Amino acid sequence: MAGPLPLGDPAPADGHLPDDLPIDTSVPFSAYLHIPFCRVRCGYCDFNTYTSSELRGAKQEDYASTLTAEIALAQRVLGDAGALRPMDTVFFGGGTPTLLPAGDLARMLDTAVSAFGLAEGAEVTVEANPDTVTPQVARTLADAGVTRLSIGMQSAVPHVLAALDRTHRPENVRTAVTAAKDAGLAVSVDLIYGAPGESLADWEASLDAALALESDHISAYALIIEDGTKLARQIRRGEVPTPDDDVQADMYELADARLGGAGFDWYEVSNWARRPEQRSRHNLAYWRGSDWWGFGPGAHSHVAGLRWWNVKHPAAYAQRLAAAESPAAGTERPDAEARMLERVLLLSRLAEGIAIAELPEGNRTRVAGLIADGMVDAASALRGRLTLTLRGRLLADAVVRELTD
C-alpha cells in the first residue's frame, strides 16, 4: 500500500479533493458518524472511544455542534469536486451513540440530510447499548428518520458479559428490542463469541436468547485479542486464558447451524439476515468499495480510491474545526496491487463471492486446489464465481492468502 500523502498535497486535509481523482457520481455514497463516548471501556475494545475521565478538553454536550461543522466542510469539499450525492446509508457508530441525547443524534442526521440529501429508501442505523434505549429514545430516533437499531447484546450469560467488561443488564436487551420494534425500527443484535471462560453451552444459550428476540439481523463476531487492550494485558499476565481457535470454530459452526435453522441466511462471514432487504446495506457499502465520508474523531473516509482519517482525540478534533481547519490527520492512495488485495479480501467474505475473472491472473488456477480442500464451492466456481463453503468461512484468511500471494 502506498504511504500517506503529505498533508500539504491536495487532499481533504487542506480543504479540497485532488483534481485528478476519478470520481464516479454513480457510485453510492454513505456517511459514518462516529460517537466516541462510552461509560466504561470494555476490556477487549480497541476502538477510538473515551470515557468521561479521558476527554480532557472536550465536552459531550458540545459534540453535535462540532460534528455538524465537519458536515459543512464535507458539503463544501464534495460540492467543489462535483461529487455531491444523496446518502444511500447512514451509520451512527461508536463508542455508544445512545449516550448522547436522542435529540443530538437527530440534529446531526438532519444536518447531514440537509447537506447531502437522502436517497429514497435509505438505511439509517444507530448502534445502541441496551441500557440506553427507552421507548421515548426509540420514538425520537424513528421520528428523525432513523430506520434501524443495532443493539450490542454480546452475550446473554452474566459471567461472559463480566469477562468482556460489558455493564448492561441482560434483561434490558429485550426491553430495547421491544422499544425499537414498537417505534417501527428494524432491529439487529450483535453477539461476540470466544470470551475467556465461555463454554459451548454458554454460547448456545446466547444464540437461543438472540433468536427468541425475533430480530431481523444477527451479527456474531469471534473475539479478537487486540494489542494494548485490558484483555490482552490480562492474558499476558496469565490471569485469563487465550481464546481457543478450535473452540471458536465449534462456536461458529453452532451459530451457523442454529441461525440457519431459524430462517437466517448468512450473507457475510459474520452476518446473518432473515431476508435480503434486512442485510446491513451500510456494511455492504464498505465491503463492495463504495464511497463514504467518516465524520468524527478517528473516523476514516474513502472517495474514489483516496482514503483519509481524522485526528483521534475529541479535543483535537474540536480544536481543528473551531479554527475552521480540516480535522484530517493523513491521507493515502493505495496502489493497484493493494486495491486488488483488499477487493479479494472483502468480496470473498460475502455469500455472493467474487468473480474468478477478477482474481489475480496468475492465481486463478489455485481455485481448483481450494475446491479440493473443501473451502470453495465447486458448483459456484463452474459458474465463474468464487464463494466460500462453511469450511472456507472458517479459514477465510487462508483462502485470501492463497488467492493473493
Side-chain angles (χ1 to χ4, degrees):
M1 182 175 290
L5 298 173
L7 290 184
D9 283 6
D14 64 358
H16 63 280
L17 295 169
D19 293 335
D20 63 343
L21 202 63
I23 295 173
D24 181 353
T25 55
S26 69
V27 173
F29 176 68
S30 295
Y32 171 76
L33 288 77
H34 186 63
I35 314 300
F37 310 118
C38 284
R39 284 181 179 154
V40 299
R41 183 181 300 282
C42 297
Y44 61 90
C45 180
D46 73 335
F47 295 160
N48 189 46
T49 62
Y50 300 83
T51 62
S52 58
S53 64
E54 297 170 326
L55 286 177
R56 300 190 314 275
K59 298 179 181 178
Q60 286 187 204
E61 56 265 34
D62 296 337
Y63 188 71
S65 296
T66 301
L67 189 138
T68 56
E70 189 184 0
I71 292 175
L73 168 70
Q75 182 184 26
R76 176 174 62 80
V77 168
L78 293 174
D80 288 348
L84 277 177
R85 286 157 282 175
M87 300 175 295
D88 193 60
T89 68
V90 182
F91 196 99
F92 288 82
T96 308
T98 46
L99 273 185
L100 291 183
D104 282 7
L105 301 179
R107 177 183 163 199
M108 287 184 273
L109 177 59
D110 183 65
T111 303
V113 172
S114 296
F116 308 113
L118 201 60
E120 184 176 355
E123 174 193 275
V124 181
T125 302
V126 172
E127 286 187 334
N129 179 296
D131 288 348
T132 62
V133 180
T134 65
Q136 181 59 50
V137 166
R139 284 193 298 270
T140 300
L141 294 176
D143 290 345
V146 173
T147 65
R148 183 174 179 270
L149 212 61
S150 180
I151 297 173
M153 176 180 175
Q154 317 311 358
S155 175
V157 179
H159 79 83
V160 176
L161 291 172
L164 295 170
D165 286 327
R166 298 290 295 185
T167 59
H168 70 261
R169 300 175 64 187
E171 59 269 26
N172 283 352
V173 176
R174 177 168 291 280
T175 301
V177 170
T178 299
K181 288 182 177 181
D182 288 347
L185 298 172
V187 178
S188 175
V189 295
D190 289 349
L191 299 172
I192 292 177
Y193 60 90
E198 183 178 27
S199 67
L200 199 59
D202 292 331
W203 175 233
E204 186 171 21
S206 292
L207 288 168
D208 289 344
L211 288 170
L213 296 170
E214 298 184 337
S215 64
D216 309 300
H217 182 281
I218 294 177
S219 299
Y221 300 105
L223 178 66
I224 297 174
I225 307 302
E226 302 287 359
D227 289 341
T229 61
K230 174 185 173 183
L231 189 53
R233 292 191 294 271
Q234 289 175 316
I235 289 173
R236 189 168 60 249
R237 293 193 297 260
E239 297 170 2
V240 297
T242 302
D244 186 301
D245 291 342
D246 291 336
V247 172
Q248 287 191 333
D250 291 341
M251 289 177 169
Y252 183 86
E253 290 179 331
L254 178 61
D256 191 62
R258 295 301 288 268
L259 296 177
F264 286 79
D265 291 322
W266 81 277
Y267 68 96
E268 190 274 340
V269 168
S270 300
N271 290 273
W272 291 258
R274 290 189 186 275
R275 298 190 301 275
E277 63 269 23
Q278 294 170 331
R279 298 170 179 174
S280 171
R281 286 166 48 196
H282 187 83
N283 284 339
L284 283 168
Y286 293 151
W287 296 322
R288 291 171 177 165
S290 296
D291 289 347
W292 70 87
W293 193 297
F295 298 93
H300 285 235
S301 302
H302 169 264
V303 174
L306 179 70
R307 301 171 186 275
W308 66 94
W309 51 93
N310 286 344
V311 293
K312 285 191 169 185
H313 198 278
Y317 174 76
Q319 288 164 5
R320 291 275 192 99
L321 288 163
E325 298 174 357
S326 167
T331 65
E332 65 182 9
R333 273 205 247 191
D335 60 23
E337 181 180 354
R339 292 196 303 271
M340 170 57 70
L341 172 62
E342 182 178 77
R343 185 165 176 81
V344 174
L345 172 68
L346 296 176
L347 290 183
S348 65
R349 294 178 62 87
L350 299 179
E352 65 199 48
I354 183 171
I356 292 174
E358 289 192 57
L359 300 175
E361 186 172 357
N363 293 356
R364 294 171 196 168
T365 57
R366 300 182 184 181
V367 174
L370 292 169
I371 293 172
D373 289 340
M375 293 195 284
V376 167
D377 182 77
S380 179
L382 287 173
R383 296 190 295 270
R385 295 198 71 82
L386 182 140
T387 60
L388 300 178
T389 62
L390 175 57
R391 173 175 163 78
R393 281 184 269 159
L394 288 167
L395 300 168
D397 290 345
V399 173
V400 171
R401 285 195 298 271
E402 182 68 13
L403 294 173
T404 56
D405 283 350

